[in-house]
Amino acid sequence: AQSVTQLGSHVSVSEGALVLLRCNYSSSVPPYLFWYVQYPNQGLQLLLKYTSAATLVKGINGFEAEFKKSETSFHLTKPSAHMSDAAEYFCAVQAGGSYIPTFGRGTSLIVHP
Amino acid sequence: KAGVTQTPRYLIKTRGQQVTLSCSPISGHRSVSWYQQTPGQGLQFLFEYFSETQRNKGNFPGRFSGRQFSNSRSEMNVSTLELGDSALYLCASTEGTGGNANEQFFGPGTRLTVL
């Protein structure tokens, strides 16, 4: 079984501030982990994915995430928020031969000028 | 490569009617998944088709059905529409083989409103 918990349905930051979106997963076997972003009226787009090659994963638009097995976490960070980062972010886990990822409930990132 | 396309983008129906949504995956992708997205329930998995066969199914009533054609295009049908079926329906495609690392490529969605 696999599951994902995203802490905080809304995160608000000022432009230029650090972005931290939290994701904790549960999986009985080594997982693959993903972060997706959804802009208004659009589908989801892959930001980055962890496939066991490296624990620190760099993605598009300056985002990165670190896989921490001991904490079962895969938090998403960006050093400096931009207004264009305002969107919904989804963490997903896929493991154990499943072809279907399990998505978290999503975190809405709000960026203030 | 062209992305995942979904038609129509917007749809308004009344209770009791039925609706068919269409999804064309990325060329070469054999797996198509459907999701329902609502503010209250988030992203919920409906079903997945691979090579014209339903390979995985979520926990939705039988009013929700789908199919996949030989060219990998997929359709989703909802019969006897209810107000609660109002949602954004997302289609995603992937190669469908080779393990768990395949990312899903999403279409822009069909916004269904049931009145």
Side-chain angles (χ1 to χ4, degrees), chain B residues 73-84:
Chain B
R73 189 177 69 85
S74 177
E75 288 183 346
M76 189 193 107
N77 185 274
V78 188
S79 63
T80 319
L81 284 166
E82 301 176 0
L83 294 178

Side-chain angles (χ1 to χ4, degrees), chain A residues 14-60:
Chain A
S14 298
E15 192 173 20
L18 171 71
V19 175
L20 171 60
L21 304 182
R22 300 178 186 274
C23 172
N24 287 88
Y25 69 92
S26 173
S27 175
S28 56
V29 296
Y32 292 100
L33 296 160
F34 306 82
W35 274 100
Y36 288 85
V37 61
Q38 184 180 31
Y39 298 103
N41 298 316
Q42 295 185 28
L44 280 68
Q45 174 187 358
L46 182 72
L47 272 178
L48 50 82
K49 65 180 179 182
Y50 166 74
T51 59
S52 77
T55 57
L56 183 62
V57 183
K58 295 187 183 299
I60 62 172

Side-chain angles (χ1 to χ4, degrees), chain B residues 19-94:
Chain B
V19 67
T20 299
L21 312 182
S22 181
C23 172
S24 292
I26 289 173
S27 177
H29 285 188
R30 295 161 62 190
S31 167
V32 174
S33 297
W34 288 90
Y35 296 85
Q36 182 194 67
Q37 185 178 24
T38 60
Q41 299 299 319
L43 203 62
Q44 293 188 285
F45 170 71
L46 281 154
F47 30 64
E48 183 229 3
Y49 285 85
F50 177 77
S51 292
E52 301 179 65
T53 301
Q54 188 180 86
R55 185 164 64 174
N56 289 281
K57 186 178 187 302
N59 189 26
F60 275 79
R63 299 186 298 107
F64 292 82
S65 63
R67 60 178 175 169
Q68 187 179 34
F69 302 94
S70 59
N71 61 358
S72 292
R73 189 177 69 85
S74 177
E75 288 183 346
M76 189 193 107
N77 185 274
V78 188
S79 63
T80 319
L81 284 166
E82 301 176 0
L83 294 178
D85 297 332
S86 294
L88 180 67
Y89 289 88
L90 292 165
C91 163
S93 77
T94 184

